[in-house]
């Protein structure tokens, strides 16, 4: 069987930024390691030898300065000196949304910390077997990728096994990079865990002693589940390892220590780093013939003995399913004004006993006496009838997605979550396994749907009467006899029962991605909501109520990762990457509840922005300087004064859009040139994450009248040709420009001390600071500072030769300042040299048109399907090659309106994602192709337009500017009189001609 080999992109900006955020904390750290000696108690077995460990060689003051610089760069609140006061308990936090490559990032950080600073001992601590197996699999599939990046540097990794403690000794004494994966359950019981007990396998020492002496770097995966709640047994166990420092990675941190990088749900969605989400909501209507009660939540507040329930209330003669607060003794008939609840009362309201333990309510009367736990319902339609509809809908959506994607070599997977294993895999009286109720329903519904003419092409040549059991499979924990069993996340997760659940679903992830593997529908226990995902899960169906906290977010998290094809290549764009959640609630209910989970669980502030979040903005001028924390707060205050931000940080999106539409969005002179960047950041935060309605999904059709028109054919003939490029720049000019930039723009600050004095006042509001006064800075003598290999470091970062770097530094005349502050000098020098390198690439690029057969065929418009959502990202169009235009931003939507109303526009097209221009910065997809009739009525202009939120190219990111300049040269090389421009509105395009 051919299994796709997953490919990894080493140049993804968000992942590189997360790696650099950690590594840049240790600028000034000299490379090396420490040695220690352990004398074993059993001298007959072991001879004392030198172990190899990590060592921190950086002053606390430098670490604090590095931390604040990283935080400002990434728009994060600054840590105070008190946050780093305990040098034996250093913790740094990285937040990354599920599906954006968190595991890849921390594994690459391991390699990078070794390359830059010589650190060799790492321990990954995970909360469960599921995540442990996922990490181990990630190490296997990225091994070749990392060896290619890091010149074959080997990394030895293993999972901690209390029966093989000799591995811990090897871990301590090896001089290479060592990585151990351990579950929290193996370390958080100090009285009984073998890691704390002496063992002959480790030379008579307790394994924990060897671990302490190497001063490992801890990587805590999902620390909110590792720390151990209020009692903090997990945190105690982590500190017992005496780590050099700890790196904490999660999408849902509970405790935040020194945040250095943050990529939340809004950022990930806006950047297209995860799938977009659509919901096929299956809300039940007109089934109100019996009393319905669903328990949402029992209050956890002290002295509050109420519960939140969903009931069918009568309003204006109609039944409306609504949320109500109830308490013991309440009459549900009175609360709902609905006679179907006659005699039905609320009895006991019972709180849960702790975190994860559900609350209960009793409902009784009229012959009913039932206890409901949170998430359960009484009076709903029968469980199996509901399941039949959910399974049928999931199969339909799956087959429709297969019709779209199979021709592109993309395997489509669907995932069902169930609570009870016996509903899928049961036993007959003799103990033999037989299909459960869900499996029978699935096979019946699948058999019916595959005979539907709409899906016939998917089963061409297949035996439609054959057993459909081959396309679905269940993955559950199994006991020692191999029988499936129910498990709960966090219970017995370090045992063999749980481990048996993950063989195919986790360890053989590539096999599930193969088109030759018949399994396409996966049934699994709800405990797999955490720790497992597959990039090609396109449908998720939970055959249960999603009533408790985090269930929606955990559910969608299993399918957010971007899809891959049969070559293992990651695919981008929402055309492919759409995750459909088949739910038993309406779109509005699902979206509202999911947003609540994001706000409460992930601390995402939808529609709000915080004072520090502008600090990472690059200042105009291209020198790499950033706005900084203090200026960010002044900008925030100015935006508040102008009414764009309210007192609580909420963005006034309507006021912002009106100002942008009227070209009236301005900032104080201090922030001149940042208008486009600030507006873009405000718009992104205001939009949040969009949940699409599956029923509003449309396939965008080609408008044949425009597609077959002479004007569009002439336009396409002028832009369809492909090109190749070569870069022919003058290395002497690059050296001269880079040396000049270093000479004129490099500002290296020596180490210094700045004294700030303030008064403290203690009053009823707490401790407040008074006016501050600051002394003149005083230089600090750091003594002998270790000097890194600057030529190798800069050559690695800039991809230039050591000889070229040597000449740039020599001709700049600034190299003597390297001794003043080595790490700062290297960082700033790399930034300036990279700016000049990018400019040289663009200045020296030459495009050449390929042969007449190397073109983008116009017929691709007819074969490539495009999808969108009404009222979300589709707008009707008459002059476009498509009947509706799909837009990606408010700027594009308004541009479409202008094109449609402009008398001089004859036809236009939003260029599809497959229309790409090659550049040294990656493929570039221009926005628009337009035919404009000139005022004389005879001549026409053929235009390609790139729409951005600003007219000024200088306000764009360097990579964006580079791609636009390359696009201009590509179309010039075609020689077909196509004009390429960048603009923010059609009126600004017409003013150019």
């Amino acid at each position: 069987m051919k299994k796709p080999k997953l490919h990894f992109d080493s140049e993804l900006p968000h992942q590189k930024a997360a790696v650099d955020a950690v590594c840049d904390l240790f600028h000034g750290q000299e490379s090396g390691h420490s040695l220690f000696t352990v004398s074993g108690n059993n001298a007959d077995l072991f001879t004392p030898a030198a172990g190899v460990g990590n060592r921190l060689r950086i002053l606390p003051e430098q670490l604090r300065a590095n931390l604040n610089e990283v935080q400002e760069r990434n728009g994060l609140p600054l840590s105070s000196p008190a946050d780093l006061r305990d040098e034996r308990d250093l913790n740094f936090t990285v937040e990354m949304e599920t599906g954006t490559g968190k595991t890849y990032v921390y594994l690459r950080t391991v390699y990078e910390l070794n390359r830059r600073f010589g650190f060799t001992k790492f321990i990954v601590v995970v909360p469960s077997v599921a995540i442990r197996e996922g990490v181990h699999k990630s190490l296997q599939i990225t091994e070749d990728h990392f060896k290619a990046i890091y010149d074959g540097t080997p990394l030895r990794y293993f999972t901690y096994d209390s029966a093989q403690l000799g591995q811990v000794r090897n871990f301590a004494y090896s001089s290479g990079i060592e990585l151990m994966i351990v579950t929290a359950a193996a370390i958080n019981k100090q009285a009984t865990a073998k890691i704390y007990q002496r063992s002959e396998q480790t030379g008579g020492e307790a394994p924990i002693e060897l671990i302490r002496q190497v001063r490992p770097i801890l990587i805590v995966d999902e620390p909110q589940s590792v720390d151990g709640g209020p009692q903090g047994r997990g945190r105690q166990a982590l500190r017992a390892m005496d780590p050099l420092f700890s790196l904490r990675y999660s999408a849902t941190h509970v405790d935040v220590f020194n945040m250095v990088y943050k990529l939340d749900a809004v950022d990930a969605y806006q950047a297209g780093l995860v799938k977009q989400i659509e919901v096929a909501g299956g809300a039940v209507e007109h089934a109100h013939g019996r009393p319905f009660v669903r328990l949402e939540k029992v209050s956890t507040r002290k002295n509050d003995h109420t519960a939140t329930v969903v009931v069918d209330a009568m309003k204006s003669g109609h039944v409306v399913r609504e949320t109500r607060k109830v308490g013991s003794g309440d009459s549900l008939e009175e609360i709902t004004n609905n006679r179907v609840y006659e005699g039905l009362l609320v009895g006991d309201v019972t709180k849960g006993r702790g975190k994860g333990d559900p609350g209960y309510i009793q409902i009784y009367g009229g012959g009913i006496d039932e206890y409901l736990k949170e998430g359960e319902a009484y009076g709903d339609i029968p469980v199996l009838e509901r399941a039949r509809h959910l399974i049928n809908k999931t199969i339909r959506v799956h087959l429709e997605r297969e019709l779209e994607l199979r021709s592109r070599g993309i395997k489509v997977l669907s995932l069902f979550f169930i609570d009870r294993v016996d509903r899928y895999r049961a036993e007959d009286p003799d103990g033999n396994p037989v299909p459960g109720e869900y499996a029978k329903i699935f096979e019946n519904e699948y058999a019916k749907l595959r005979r539907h003419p709409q899906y016939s092409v998917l089963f061409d040549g297949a035996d439609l009467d054959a057993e459909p059991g081959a396309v679905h499979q269940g993955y559950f924990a199994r006991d020692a006899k191999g029988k499936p069993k129910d498990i709960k996340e966090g219970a017995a997760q370090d045992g063999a029962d749980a481990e048996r659940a993950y063989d195919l679903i986790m360890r053989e992830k590539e096999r599930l991605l193969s088109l030759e593997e018949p399994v396409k529908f996966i049934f699994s226990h709800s405990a797999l909501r955490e720790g497992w995902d597959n990039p090609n899960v396109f449908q998720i169906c939970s055959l249960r109520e999603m009533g408790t906290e985090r269930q929606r977010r955990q559910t969608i998290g299993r399918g957010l990762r971007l899809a891959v094809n049969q070559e293992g290549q990651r695919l981008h764009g929402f055309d492919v990457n759409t995750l459909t959640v088949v739910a038993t609630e309406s779109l509005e209910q699902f979206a509202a509840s999911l947003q609540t989970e994001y706000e409460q669980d992930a601390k995402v502030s939808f529609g709000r922005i915080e004072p520090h979040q502008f600090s990472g903005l690059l200042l105009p001028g291209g020198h790499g300087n950033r706005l900084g924390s203090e200026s960010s707060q002044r900008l925030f205050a100015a935006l508040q004064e102008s009414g764009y931000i309210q007192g609580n940080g909420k963005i006034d999106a309507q006021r912002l859009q009106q100002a942008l539409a009227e070209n009236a969005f301005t900032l104080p002179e201090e922030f001149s040139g940042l208008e486009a960047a600030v507006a873009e950041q405000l718009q992104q935060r205001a939009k949040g994450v969009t949940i699409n309605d599956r029923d509003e999904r449309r396939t965008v059709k080609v408008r044949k009248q425009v597609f077959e028109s002479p004007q569009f054919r002439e336009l396409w003939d002028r832009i369809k040709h492909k090109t190749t490029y070569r870069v022919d720049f003058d290395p002497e000019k690059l050296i001269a420009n880079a040396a000049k930039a270093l000479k004129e723009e490099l500002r290296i600050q020596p180490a210094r001390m700045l004294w700030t004095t303030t008064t403290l006042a203690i009053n009823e509001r707490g401790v407040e600071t008074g006016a501050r006064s600051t002394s003149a800075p005083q230089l600090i003598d750091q003594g002998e500072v270790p000097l890194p290999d600057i030529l190798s470091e800069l050559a690695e970062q800039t991809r230039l030769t050591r000889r070229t770097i040597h000449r740039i530094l020599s001709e700049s005349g600034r190299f003597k300042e390297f001794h003043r502050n080595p790490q700062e000098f290297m960082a700033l020098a790399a930034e300036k040299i990279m700016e000049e390198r990018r400019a040289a690439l663009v200045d020296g690029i030459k495009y050449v048109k390929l042969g007449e057969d190397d073109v983008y065929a116009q017929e691709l418009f007819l074969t490539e399907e495009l999808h969108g959502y009404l009222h979300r990202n589709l707008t009707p169009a008459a002059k476009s090659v498509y009947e509706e235009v799909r837009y990606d931003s408010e700027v594009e939507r308004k541009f479409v309106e202008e094109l449609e109303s402009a008398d001089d526009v004859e036809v236009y097209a939003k260029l599809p994602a497959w229309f790409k221009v090659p550049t040294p910065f990656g493929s570039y997809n221009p926005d628009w192709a337009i035919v404009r009739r000139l005022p004389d009525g005879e001549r026409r202009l053929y235009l390609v337009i790139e729409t951005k939120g600003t007219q000024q190219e200088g306000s764009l990111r360097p990579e964006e500017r580079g791609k636009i300049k390359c696009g201009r040269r590509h179309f010039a090389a075609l020689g077909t009189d196509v004009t390429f421009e960048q603009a923010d509105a059609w009126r600004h395009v017409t003013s150019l001609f």
Side-chain angles (χ1 to χ4, degrees):
M1 176 184 294
K2 178 186 176 183
K3 301 177 184 177
K5 181 177 175 60
L6 296 176
H7 294 266
F8 299 90
D9 187 346
S10 61
E11 299 298 320
L12 293 178
H14 74 284
Q15 295 180 346
K16 292 180 71 176
V19 174
D20 288 339
V22 170
C23 294
D24 290 349
L25 292 171
F26 306 102
H27 274 320
Q29 161 85 10
E30 60 179 294
S31 181
H33 52 249
S34 62
L35 300 179
F36 67 90
T37 300
V38 175
S39 297
N41 292 336
N42 191 334
D44 294 334
L45 292 178
F46 298 105
T47 301
V52 182
N54 300 318
R55 182 179 174 187
L56 203 58
R57 294 177 171 89
I58 184 172
L59 295 174
E61 295 80 8
Q62 182 66 50
L63 180 60
R64 282 198 296 270
N66 290 344
L67 171 61
N68 288 164
E69 191 280 328
V70 168
Q71 290 171 329
E72 281 200 337
R73 182 175 77 207
N74 292 323
L76 298 169
L78 302 186
S79 297
S80 68
D83 294 323
L84 295 176
R85 63 181 178 270
D86 187 351
E87 296 180 20
R88 305 293 289 194
D89 190 24
L90 296 176
N91 291 272
F92 304 99
T93 297
V94 175
E95 180 177 318
M96 295 185 70
E97 174 62 2
T98 301
T100 58
K102 173 194 65 177
T103 306
Y104 175 93
V105 163
Y106 68 62
L107 293 180
R108 183 162 182 178
T109 301
V110 167
Y111 281 93
E112 196 66 22
L113 286 171
N114 173 263
R115 184 184 71 82
R116 296 192 196 185
F117 310 116
F119 296 135
T120 58
K121 302 300 166 67
F122 301 85
I123 298 178
V124 179
V125 185
V126 299
S128 67
V129 170
I131 298 179
R132 187 193 73 189
E133 292 304 315
V135 174
H136 193 266
K137 182 63 181 179
S138 294
L139 282 160
Q140 291 176 329
I141 63 180
T142 58
E143 192 167 352
D144 292 342
H145 170 76
F146 286 133
K147 282 183 178 179
I149 296 175
Y150 293 97
D151 299 325
T153 300
L155 168 69
R156 193 183 83 88
Y157 54 89
F158 65 98
T159 58
Y160 171 81
D161 185 344
S162 60
Q164 300 184 45
L165 295 178
Q167 290 184 315
V168 178
R169 191 173 191 277
N170 295 336
F171 171 83
Y173 284 85
S174 168
S175 60
I177 314 180
E178 294 279 332
L179 186 145
M180 177 168 67
I181 315 166
V182 61
T183 60
I187 62 173
N188 63 10
K189 295 180 180 179
Q190 298 193 27
T192 58
K194 288 187 177 181
I195 200 168
Y196 300 101
Q197 301 171 8
R198 295 180 180 274
S199 170
E200 292 185 354
Q201 295 184 54
T202 50
E205 295 289 329
I208 192 68
E209 291 301 327
L210 295 178
I211 291 172
R212 285 169 180 155
Q213 293 186 67
V214 303
R215 298 297 309 280
I217 295 170
L218 295 190
I219 296 172
V220 189
D221 195 332
E222 307 296 349
Q224 73 280 359
S225 299
V226 169
D227 284 349
Q231 296 179 347
R233 286 193 306 181
R235 285 277 290 144
Q236 294 172 19
L238 296 177
R239 283 194 291 268
M241 292 184 178
D242 196 16
L244 194 68
F245 54 85
S246 298
L247 305 174
R248 300 162 64 85
Y249 292 81
S250 178
T252 54
H253 289 282
V254 173
D255 299 312
V256 174
F257 304 91
N258 302 309
M259 180 82 78
V260 297
Y261 183 77
K262 182 174 183 177
L263 180 73
D264 65 19
V266 176
D267 299 325
Y269 181 84
Q270 297 294 341
L273 303 177
V274 293
K275 291 190 180 87
Q276 70 173 344
I277 306 163
E278 69 175 18
V279 175
V284 177
E285 296 181 351
H286 310 298
H288 308 299
R290 52 183 176 172
F292 170 83
V293 183
R294 182 172 69 235
L295 175 58
E296 294 284 283
K297 187 174 181 61
V298 173
S299 174
T300 57
R301 290 185 296 179
K302 189 175 181 180
N303 299 324
D304 182 358
H305 300 284
T306 63
T308 303
V309 298
V310 177
V311 291
D312 290 338
M314 186 69 71
K315 283 192 171 182
S316 303
H318 298 284
V319 175
V320 180
R321 190 155 284 182
E322 290 188 336
T323 299
R324 291 282 194 271
K325 279 278 185 76
V326 298
S328 181
D330 284 348
S331 166
L332 291 175
E333 181 181 7
E334 293 179 7
I335 286 173
T336 62
N337 196 30
N338 187 345
R339 292 197 61 183
V340 76
Y341 292 91
E342 183 177 2
L344 194 57
L345 304 174
V346 177
D348 293 337
V349 177
T350 307
K351 297 178 182 292
R353 289 173 294 180
K355 187 176 181 181
D357 187 46
Y360 290 82
I361 66 167
Q362 177 192 21
I363 55 171
Y364 69 96
I368 299 171
D369 190 356
E370 295 284 342
Y371 283 91
L372 303 177
K373 70 178 180 180
E374 290 175 340
E376 286 186 341
Y378 173 82
D380 206 355
I381 63 173
V383 171
L384 296 183
E385 177 64 11
R386 179 186 294 273
R388 184 176 68 82
H389 287 278
L390 288 169
I391 291 171
N392 178 279
K393 181 64 174 179
T394 304
I395 296 171
R396 285 179 180 272
V397 177
H398 178 109
L399 295 178
E400 290 167 8
R401 194 66 49 82
E402 273 200 28
L403 287 172
E404 297 171 15
L405 300 181
R406 194 166 73 169
S407 63
R408 302 173 66 172
I410 302 171
K411 172 76 173 288
V412 176
L413 298 173
S414 292
L415 179 60
F416 295 94
F417 281 126
I418 63 177
D419 259 359
R420 287 174 44 189
V421 172
D422 62 3
R423 288 200 184 277
Y424 178 80
R425 187 74 75 224
E427 292 183 355
D428 64 16
D430 297 325
N432 300 312
V434 295
E437 295 157 329
Y438 288 161
K440 293 176 182 177
I441 291 172
F442 174 87
E443 293 185 8
N444 289 337
E445 297 301 315
Y446 186 80
K448 286 189 292 186
L449 286 172
R450 68 178 178 173
R451 294 181 179 276
H452 196 291
Q454 180 181 353
Y455 312 121
S456 60
V457 66
L458 296 174
F459 304 102
D460 187 26
D463 181 3
L464 297 182
D465 294 321
E467 179 62 38
V471 300
H472 70 101
Q473 187 55 270
Y475 299 97
F476 311 105
R478 297 177 183 275
D479 61 22
K481 296 180 180 179
K483 292 184 178 181
K485 60 179 291 186
D486 292 329
I487 58 171
K488 293 182 179 179
E489 185 69 23
Q493 288 299 289
D494 203 47
D497 290 348
E499 191 165 350
R500 295 185 189 98
Y502 309 124
D503 284 338
L504 175 60
I505 202 168
M506 301 197 60
R507 295 176 184 158
E508 298 190 43
K509 185 180 294 188
E510 298 99 322
R511 182 175 145 194
L512 278 174
L513 292 170
S514 172
L515 288 172
E516 296 177 22
E517 166 59 52
V519 173
K520 299 182 287 187
F521 297 88
I522 301 165
F523 286 79
S524 192
H525 196 279
S526 56
L528 274 184
R529 284 196 308 268
E530 291 181 334
W532 177 84
D533 57 51
N534 189 292
N536 285 22
V537 169
F538 288 93
Q539 292 74 229
I540 291 178
C541 175
S542 186
L543 295 172
R544 54 164 294 168
E545 293 284 350
M546 289 191 289
T548 60
E549 294 178 6
R550 300 178 66 196
Q551 286 187 0
R552 291 166 189 80
R553 190 158 187 237
Q554 288 176 356
T555 297
I556 66 172
R558 303 315 102 214
L560 284 179
R561 199 173 296 277
L562 299 182
V564 299
N565 60 18
Q566 291 302 286
E567 283 68 49
Q569 297 168 329
R570 194 77 61 183
L571 303 169
H572 298 272
F574 288 160
D575 273 352
V576 171
N577 293 293
T578 297
L579 173 67
T580 303
V581 180
V582 181
T584 56
E585 55 190 335
S586 69
L587 168 71
E588 292 76 19
Q589 289 174 316
F590 186 93
S593 299
L594 179 62
Q595 179 161 317
T596 299
E597 289 179 19
Y598 273 122
E599 290 173 334
Q600 294 178 352
D601 196 29
K603 307 299 187 293
V604 175
S605 298
F606 289 98
R608 288 180 170 81
I609 198 160
E610 298 179 51
H612 60 265
Q613 287 185 298
F614 299 109
S615 62
L617 292 179
L618 287 171
L619 296 176
H623 302 311
N625 299 320
R626 299 183 185 275
L627 187 62
S629 180
E630 292 184 4
S631 296
S632 176
Q633 294 182 49
R634 292 198 300 274
L635 173 57
F636 182 88
L639 291 167
Q640 279 188 315
E641 188 175 343
S642 300
Y644 297 119
I645 301 176
Q646 299 172 10
N648 60 358
K650 188 172 179 61
I651 300 165
D652 190 332
Q654 186 174 357
R655 186 184 184 94
L656 175 65
Q657 296 302 338
Q658 182 178 351
L660 292 172
E662 297 172 356
N663 205 24
F665 180 74
T666 58
L667 297 175
E669 186 176 351
E670 177 187 0
F671 307 107
S672 178
L674 288 174
E675 289 83 1
V678 171
E680 181 181 6
Q681 190 158 342
L682 289 173
Q683 286 178 299
Q684 286 184 349
R685 301 306 301 184
K687 284 193 295 186
V689 177
T690 302
I691 308 297
N692 294 307
D693 186 347
R694 173 73 189 187
D695 292 336
E696 293 289 326
R697 193 169 192 255
R698 297 289 184 271
T699 298
V700 181
K701 297 179 180 178
V702 169
R703 187 183 296 279
K704 288 192 175 182
Q705 181 180 354
V706 174
F707 179 78
E708 296 174 354
S709 68
Q711 294 94 331
F712 184 72
R713 290 192 178 278
E714 177 64 21
L715 171 66
W716 197 255
D717 284 342
R718 290 171 181 263
I719 68 172
K720 67 183 180 181
H721 293 278
K722 298 180 181 179
T723 62
T724 187
Y725 69 85
R726 61 185 176 89
V727 178
D728 184 18
F729 64 87
D730 184 353
E732 294 299 320
K733 184 178 178 181
L734 169 61
I735 292 171
N737 289 344
K740 182 181 178 183
L742 294 187
K743 182 177 182 180
E744 296 178 354
E745 301 174 19
L746 202 62
R747 297 289 179 267
I748 304 301
Q749 298 293 337
R752 58 185 187 173
M753 182 173 289
L754 194 67
W755 294 98
T756 300
T757 306
T758 186
T759 58
L760 295 181
I762 303 176
N763 54 38
E764 67 277 3
R765 294 184 297 274
V767 180
E768 297 181 344
T769 58
R772 298 187 179 196
S773 61
T774 305
S775 68
Q778 300 173 343
L779 297 183
I780 296 175
D781 183 2
Q782 298 185 78
E784 185 177 347
V785 179
L787 299 180
D789 183 353
I790 187 172
L791 296 183
S792 296
E793 290 284 346
L794 290 181
E796 173 79 20
Q797 294 183 51
T798 63
R799 301 178 190 172
L800 298 174
T801 65
R802 287 169 56 94
R803 180 181 178 185
T804 300
I805 296 296
H806 183 272
R807 285 193 56 192
I808 291 172
L809 296 177
S810 299
E811 294 179 19
S812 73
R814 304 293 296 275
F815 186 62
K816 59 182 178 294
E817 298 175 56
F818 173 54
H819 296 262
R820 180 184 297 177
N821 195 329
Q823 292 294 340
E824 185 177 3
F825 184 95
M826 283 201 308
L828 294 177
E831 200 169 83
K832 300 300 178 188
I833 294 171
M834 281 300 296
E835 286 179 11
E836 296 303 325
R837 183 179 179 275
R838 277 192 293 264
L841 285 174
V842 174
D843 290 343
I845 199 165
K846 289 182 172 59
Y847 281 88
V848 178
K849 186 169 74 171
L850 296 175
E852 292 301 316
D853 294 332
D854 287 312
V855 299
Y856 288 110
Q858 186 175 336
E859 288 68 31
L860 285 174
F861 281 92
L862 301 176
T863 59
E864 293 288 324
E865 287 194 347
L866 187 67
H867 305 278
Y869 299 87
L870 294 177
H871 316 303
R872 292 281 192 183
N873 63 351
L874 288 182
T875 184
K879 300 177 183 179
S880 167
V881 70
Y882 290 113
E883 293 181 357
E884 294 99 5
V885 174
R886 195 179 71 179
Y887 55 88
D888 298 322
S889 66
E890 188 66 15
V891 171
E892 289 191 354
R893 187 189 66 78
K894 291 179 179 177
F895 197 75
V896 172
E897 290 181 354
E898 289 185 305
L899 293 179
E900 288 292 326
S901 61
D903 294 334
D904 54 347
V905 173
E906 292 189 335
V907 297
Y908 69 93
K910 174 79 183 297
L911 289 171
W914 43 260
F915 188 96
K916 295 178 180 178
V917 175
T919 82
F921 314 104
S923 295
Y924 165 53
N925 173 223
D927 285 332
W928 309 94
I930 304 167
V931 177
R932 182 193 178 205
R933 186 179 63 255
L934 293 177
D936 60 18
E938 297 295 331
R939 293 178 300 138
R940 291 179 173 84
L941 278 179
Y942 299 90
L943 306 169
V944 173
I945 304 296
E946 177 69 24
T947 45
K948 295 292 183 185
T950 176
Q951 285 260 118
Q952 306 301 319
E953 281 193 12
S955 300
L956 303 176
R957 294 189 296 272
E959 289 79 7
E960 289 181 323
R961 293 199 301 271
K963 286 184 176 182
I964 288 173
K965 290 178 180 178
C966 289
R968 188 172 282 117
R969 296 194 180 188
H970 160 85
F971 288 105
L974 298 184
T976 54
D977 293 327
V978 173
T979 301
F980 179 94
E981 292 294 342
Q982 182 247 324
D984 60 347
W986 177 246
R987 63 183 180 277
H988 293 145
V989 176
T990 57
S991 66
L992 297 173
F993 305 102

